[in-house]
C-alpha cells in the first residue's frame, strides 16, 4: 500500500467588519479574516496539505482569487471539492494534524466542533483529525492580533 504526506500553511489578515471562520465554523470575534473567500485559514491549510500530498499544486491553482466564482466562497465547499478529488484519485485520509495560531479569540472550546466538521468534510472519522490552538505569545502580527495562521500535515494512503 502506498502512502503520501502533505503539508499546508495559510495566513490571513484580521479586520473589523468580517466574519471569523475557522475549521468550518463561525467563531464570535470582533475581527474576521480578510480574503477572497470566507478566508477560513484552517480549511485552506488542510486543502493545501491534501493537494500537496496528491502532487496537485496548491489551493491558489484550483480556486484562484482572480476567479469571481470563488468570491466570498464557503471554504467548506473548497475542502469538499479537494476531498472528492482525493477519492477520485484513489486515496483516503489516514490522519490530519493541524494547528491554528491566533492571539485571540481563545479557540479551545471550539476545537471539538471544528474537528467534527473537518472530519465530516473529509469523509473520515473524527479520531483521524487533530486540531490544536496556540497563541503567538504576543509576538509578531499574529501576536498583535493583526493576523491568523494555520498549519496542517496530512497522511493519505492509496485505496487501489
Amino acid at each position: 500500500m502506498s502512502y503520501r504526506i502533505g503539508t499546508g500553511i495559510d495566513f490571513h489578515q484580521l479586520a473589523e467588519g468580517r466574519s471569523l471562520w475557522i475549521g468550518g465554523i463561525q467563531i464570535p470575534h470582533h475581527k474576521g479574516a480578510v480574503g477572497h473567500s470566507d478566508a477560513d485559514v484552517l480549511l485552506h491549510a488542510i486543502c493545501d496539505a491534501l493537494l500537496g500530498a496528491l502532487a496537485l499544486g496548491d489551493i491558489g491553482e484550483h480556486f484562484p482569487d482572480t476567479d469571481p466564482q470563488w468570491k466570498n466562497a464557503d471554504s467548506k465547499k473548497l475542502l469538499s471539492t479537494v476531498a472528492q478529488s482525493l477519492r477520485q484519485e484513489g486515496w483516503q485520509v489516514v490522519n490530519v494534524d493541524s494547528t491554528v495560531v491566533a492571539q485571540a479569540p481563545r479557540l479551545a472550546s471550539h476545537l471539538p466542533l471544528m474537528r467534527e466538521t473537518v472530519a465530516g468534510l473529509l469523509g473520515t472519522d473524527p479520531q483521524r483529525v487533530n486540531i490544536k490552538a496556540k497563541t503567538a505569545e504576543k509576538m509578531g502580527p499574529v501576536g498583535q492580533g493583526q493576523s491568523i495562521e494555520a498549519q496542517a500535515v496530512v497522511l493519505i494512503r492509496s485505496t487501489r
Side-chain angles (χ1 to χ4, degrees), residues 4-40:
R4 292 184 181 179
I5 296 171
T7 64
I9 188 167
D10 196 40
F11 306 86
H12 285 281
Q13 290 181 336
L14 293 174
E16 302 280 342
R18 294 277 303 186
S19 296
L20 183 60
W21 289 89
I22 306 172
I25 66 170
Q26 189 170 11
I27 308 293
H29 193 54
H30 67 281
K31 289 184 177 180
V34 177
H36 186 68
S37 67
D38 65 6
D40 188 320

Side-chain angles (χ1 to χ4, degrees), residues 19-137:
S19 296
L20 183 60
W21 289 89
I22 306 172
I25 66 170
Q26 189 170 11
I27 308 293
H29 193 54
H30 67 281
K31 289 184 177 180
V34 177
H36 186 68
S37 67
D38 65 6
D40 188 320
V41 68
L42 178 59
L43 296 190
H44 292 184
I46 295 170
C47 282
D48 265 349
L50 290 168
L51 291 167
L54 292 167
L56 292 177
D58 67 21
I59 194 171
E61 292 176 52
H62 293 268
F63 311 104
D65 62 7
T66 56
D67 188 336
Q69 77 172 314
W70 303 118
K71 179 74 174 160
N72 298 317
D74 183 339
S75 293
K76 291 187 294 290
K77 180 177 180 180
L78 307 183
L79 185 55
S80 293
T81 301
V82 171
Q84 182 179 9
S85 295
L86 179 83
R87 289 186 292 276
Q88 288 173 344
E89 294 285 327
W91 296 88
Q92 68 181 30
V93 171
V94 175
N95 76 301
V96 175
D97 187 27
S98 58
T99 305
V100 179
V101 186
Q103 195 63 39
R106 295 293 187 171
L107 299 174
S109 65
H110 302 286
L111 297 178
L113 182 55
M114 286 183 203
R115 186 175 173 194
E116 292 281 336
T117 301
V118 170
L121 293 167
L122 296 176
T124 194
D125 188 292
Q127 296 299 320
R128 295 181 178 267
V129 176
N130 189 49
I131 303 170
K132 302 176 293 287
K134 303 290 182 190
T135 69
E137 300 294 331

